Amino acid sequence: MTQAMPDPLILQEPLPEGDSGFGPIGRTRRSRWMLRIAVVVILVLAGAVMWVTNQWLTQRFTETTRVRTELRLALYTGNIMSELQRTSVVPLLLARDPQLTQALDTTDYSTASAQLITARKEVAVASIRLLDMQGRVVASTNRTQIGMNFSNTPFFVDATRSRGTIFSVNTNEAGGTEFDYSRAVIQDNRPVGVIVVEADLSKFERAWAGISDALAVVDSEGKIILTTEPRWRGVTMAEALAARSAPSAIQRALQATADWANEAPDAYLRGQAVMRTEARIPFRGWKMIAFTSYDSVRERVNAVLALQIMGFAILLAFVFYGLSRRARRQSQALRAESAELRALNARLSREIAEREKAQKDLAVAEQTLAQSSKLAALGEMSAAVSHELNQPLAAMKTYLAGAKLLLQRARVEEALSSFQRIDDLIGRMGAITRQLKSYARKGGEAFEPVDLRSALSEALSMMEPQLKTRKVHIIRTMPRAAVMVMADRIRLEQVIINLLRNALDATKSVEEPQVEILLTSGETAVLSVRDNGPGITDLDKLFEPFWTTKKPGEGTGLGLAISSSIISDFGGRLTAHNSESGGAVFEVQLPLLSDKNRSIRAAE
């Protein structure tokens, strides 16, 4: 037995006499706690100030950015209206041009295209086309369009049916959007052609691309007709915003941080939160939508937060500087006490040496005690041998008497059967002596899968001679399926025989002796042996060696002690209690043999 030794380098600092917390040490501890509280207060104050500053500045700068965006949208809408109004006058002027009217009347278009190119340069429109009444382009500022037929397009059909200027939004051959003003050319109060002027609104898209994050113009139906995002053109705003690429885990984390720092975003553009600003265009129900990122807001807010963090960092630096000065003073005080500590360590080292010597002496005493215990165990084994061999010897005596009578009656075959049983008993006696040699060191060596039903049947067969000498009612209840356990078959049968022998001895004074044997299988295998005898008087000493209630010469008091040791070696337990209806009940609980237990035993 060893004892833990104190570490000579770990010392407790006792409170000096007369210092109840109000002396120098008490004042030092109070000041240390005050400094710690001051650091915590500074950190909490810094967090609160930065949180309030972030909320207030974010809201203020966001509103400023929104106002600037609204002003920019007002400028953009004015530019669009100016361009549309200026372009709407051009078809009226060209439709009254006598040269174009004469070209349509005479079908001589040799100079018409040149005239249209000159007009386009003067009025700064995207393109001008002249169509005859069949919808065929007869003159155009884009000569590649001459000969193309637009008889089914809205700008031609509506212009031939009206005497005014018609506005229409169309898709050109390149997939882009064009904004056309068309008007019929009238001669002699009848239409002879159609003049089509395309407004140059695409120049605004190119100008917007370098200024705002995203801009879009939607018509009265909600479709996007002008935008800085080419993939949005021709769809609704809801569809355009819904088409978002799947972000990565890092992008999701950054996005969550940005959303927490800013106000709730109006939408997401290219994976970034943006604010949405709208402005109405006084033309056919159009409106302009701008999406502005929070980058400028965050940059301005972060600049202020950085200054606040720097200020609190400087304040903490002064606090930690004060802590470091106090720590230096404490280290000097500790160095002054180092001599006393070294002397105390030397004294503790001497005490440790003395205790180590005492431990060595204790180890020698333990070895002596262990040797004495072994000698006592040898005495117990000699008594156990005589106890365990009594049962097979009694059975052999009975079988020999029976074989003698059988030989006298010339029943040789039956006599040979008795001799075979005697031979089996001799082998069992040899196994018992070998097992009893290992009683002092606990555990068995011949473990194998054993069916408890067959072990019980074999034990009852061994007890057959004793059962024939008395009228004992045996009630045996067993399941139909096998109850497999991992055990030593001979030692297990030895335990069952011992329990049955004790039950028979307990019913000697009963008029109608009865022994009930119940074998069940659930979470564990349980074998119960119940008798209707007087019961057990002292349950606490039941499994102690050499304790018995039998008369001298009838028992040694080792049977139940050995049986309990055997069952423990099998991983189970042997218990006993008195039944409510009278008599004693012994229960053997053993773990069932499962596939896992089989693999473990095979590995061992």
Side-chain angles (χ1 to χ4, degrees):
M1 182 180 299
T2 59
Q3 299 180 353
M5 294 291 103
D7 191 345
L9 299 179
I10 301 178
L11 302 174
Q12 277 191 329
E13 181 180 353
L15 189 66
E17 294 185 8
D19 189 358
S20 59
F22 297 98
I25 296 179
R27 287 194 298 271
T28 301
R29 292 177 178 175
R30 286 198 304 273
S31 61
R32 185 184 304 150
W33 276 107
M34 291 178 64
L35 284 173
R36 292 176 180 175
I37 293 174
V39 171
V40 173
V41 169
I42 291 174
L43 293 177
V44 173
L45 180 63
V49 169
M50 286 189 290
W51 185 81
V52 173
T53 302
N54 177 72
Q55 295 293 323
W56 182 71
L57 290 181
T58 299
Q59 183 177 4
R60 181 180 176 184
F61 292 154
T62 300
E63 188 62 27
T64 302
T65 304
R66 193 181 298 275
V67 171
R68 290 179 179 176
T69 304
E70 291 175 353
L71 293 175
R72 190 163 55 246
L73 288 182
L75 175 62
Y76 293 164
T77 56
N79 292 338
I80 292 176
M81 287 301 302
S82 176
E83 181 69 20
L84 291 174
Q85 291 173 358
R86 186 177 60 81
T87 306
S88 64
V89 181
V90 178
L92 176 62
L93 297 176
L94 293 178
R96 296 178 181 179
D97 191 324
Q99 295 182 1
L100 295 178
T101 304
Q102 183 180 2
L104 289 171
D105 186 36
T106 61
T107 67
D108 183 11
Y109 308 111
S110 57
T111 61
S113 294
Q115 184 179 354
L116 294 180
I117 291 173
T118 302
R120 184 184 69 83
K121 293 179 180 180
E122 293 177 353
V123 297
V125 295
S127 66
I128 304 175
R129 286 167 287 181
L130 181 64
L131 284 70
D132 59 13
M133 290 306 297
Q134 285 74 37
R136 185 172 57 89
V137 179
V138 295
S140 175
T141 55
N142 185 2
R143 297 182 184 276
T144 59
Q145 293 183 347
I146 296 177
M148 298 178 64
N149 193 295
F150 295 95
S151 60
N152 295 324
T153 55
F155 61 78
F156 177 78
V157 175
D158 294 341
T160 57
R161 295 176 180 176
S162 173
R163 291 295 184 266
T165 302
I166 304 300
F167 178 80
S168 60
V169 180
N170 305 284
T171 303
N172 56 29
E173 61 274 9
T177 303
E178 62 180 38
F179 305 89
D180 299 317
Y181 281 99
S182 59
R183 188 181 181 92
V185 180
I186 306 299
Q187 184 181 18
D188 298 333
N189 202 24
R190 63 182 179 85
V192 293
V194 175
I195 187 73
V196 182
V197 179
E198 180 185 354
D200 188 11
L201 298 184
S202 60
K203 62 183 179 181
F204 297 125
E205 286 185 339
R206 294 188 294 272
W208 298 338
I211 299 176
S212 301
D213 290 328
L215 275 175
V217 177
V218 298
D219 58 13
S220 59
E221 297 178 355
K223 291 186 178 180
I224 299 175
I225 54 179
L226 279 177
T227 178
T228 56
E229 299 289 330
R231 57 192 178 90
W232 287 4
R233 190 173 289 109
V235 300
T236 63
M237 185 57 66
E239 294 173 347
L241 295 177
R244 295 172 57 190
S245 58
S248 63
I250 297 178
Q251 290 174 338
R252 287 196 299 270
L254 294 176
Q255 187 61 57
T257 304
D259 293 347
W260 172 84
N262 300 319
E263 293 183 350
D266 298 328
Y268 287 93
L269 179 62
R270 293 188 289 272
Q272 294 183 353
V274 293
M275 68 176 72
R276 175 172 175 166
T277 308
E278 297 184 4
R280 189 179 65 85
I281 302 176
F283 182 79
R284 294 179 176 267
W286 289 7
K287 61 181 178 179
M288 178 176 287
I289 303 174
F291 296 95
T292 308
S293 69
Y294 289 92
D295 291 343
S296 59
V297 175
R298 284 259 47 92
E299 289 175 358
R300 298 169 67 183
V301 173
N302 290 340
V304 178
L305 293 179
L307 292 176
Q308 290 182 347
I309 293 173
M310 185 180 300
F312 283 110
I314 294 173
L315 180 59
L316 284 176
F318 282 113
V319 173
F320 288 126
Y321 174 73
L323 290 175
S324 64
R325 286 176 58 87
R326 185 173 299 276
R328 283 196 297 270
R329 288 196 297 269
Q330 292 176 353
S331 64
Q332 292 174 358
L334 291 176
R335 283 195 296 269
E337 297 175 358
S338 61
E340 181 182 354
L341 294 177
R342 282 195 296 269
L344 182 59
N345 285 337
R347 188 179 64 185
L348 290 177
S349 298
R350 289 193 298 271
E351 292 181 0
I352 290 173
E354 294 175 358
R355 292 194 180 187
E356 288 179 351
K357 182 177 181 300
Q359 284 183 352
K360 292 179 181 179
D361 296 339
L362 180 60
V364 174
E366 287 178 350
Q367 292 178 358
T368 305
L369 181 59
Q371 185 65 26
S372 300
S373 299
K374 290 181 180 180
L375 294 176
L378 291 176
E380 292 179 6
M381 283 192 296
S382 62
V385 168
S386 62
H387 172 80
E388 295 296 332
L389 294 182
N390 280 337
Q391 296 175 4
L393 287 174
M396 290 172 61
K397 184 176 180 181
T398 303
Y399 284 131
L400 284 174
K404 182 178 179 180
L405 292 175
L406 292 173
L407 289 175
Q408 291 175 356
R409 297 177 183 178
R411 295 164 63 179
V412 179
E413 294 181 358
E414 296 181 9
L416 290 176
S417 177
S418 298
F419 289 138
Q420 181 61 42
R421 291 190 177 183
I422 293 173
D423 184 64
D424 294 339
L425 289 173
I426 293 173
R428 184 176 298 275
M429 291 171 62
I432 289 174
T433 56
R434 288 194 300 273
Q435 293 165 359
L436 290 176
K437 290 178 182 179
S438 62
Y439 171 67
R441 66 171 188 274
K442 292 184 71 176
E445 299 177 355
F447 279 46
E448 60 182 352
V450 178
D451 187 358
L452 264 177
R453 300 181 308 164
S454 61
L456 178 58
S457 299
E458 187 66 24
L460 288 173
S461 176
M462 285 286 297
M463 293 293 297
E464 184 178 354
Q466 288 86 343
L467 295 175
K468 287 182 178 180
T469 59
R470 295 178 54 196
K471 293 182 179 180
V472 181
H473 186 202
I474 304 295
I475 301 175
R476 179 171 56 174
T477 305
M478 293 189 300
R480 294 184 178 180
V483 182
M484 303 300 296
V485 297
M486 183 64 74
D488 184 345
R489 177 182 293 274
I490 295 177
R491 299 174 70 190
L492 182 59
E493 292 175 3
Q494 176 185 346
V495 172
I496 298 173
I497 291 173
N498 196 14
L499 297 179
L500 293 175
R501 179 69 177 273
N502 288 341
L504 292 177
D505 293 342
T507 57
K508 285 182 178 180
S509 59
V510 180
E511 294 182 358
E512 295 181 359
Q514 177 179 305
V515 177
E516 182 179 354
I517 304 172
L518 176 62
L519 176 60
T520 59
S521 176
E523 295 183 356
T524 59
V526 180
L527 175 64
S528 300
V529 179
R530 177 181 175 276
D531 60 67
N532 60 346
I536 304 171
T537 57
D538 194 347
L539 290 172
D540 295 335
K541 298 181 178 180
L542 185 62
F543 296 104
E544 292 183 3
F546 303 106
W547 186 88
T548 179
T549 59
K550 298 178 182 179
K551 297 179 181 180
E554 294 183 359
T556 61
L558 290 173
L560 290 177
I562 294 174
S563 299
S564 178
S565 176
I566 291 173
I567 296 302
S568 297
D569 290 344
F570 297 162
R573 62 174 182 170
L574 174 62
T575 60
H577 63 274
N578 290 322
S579 176
E580 295 180 356
S581 58
V585 180
F586 287 86
E587 288 187 356
V588 176
Q589 295 184 11
L590 291 173
L592 289 172
L593 180 62
S594 61
D595 295 338
K596 182 178 179 180
N597 292 337
R598 292 173 187 249
S599 61
I600 293 175
R601 292 295 183 182
E604 291 177 354

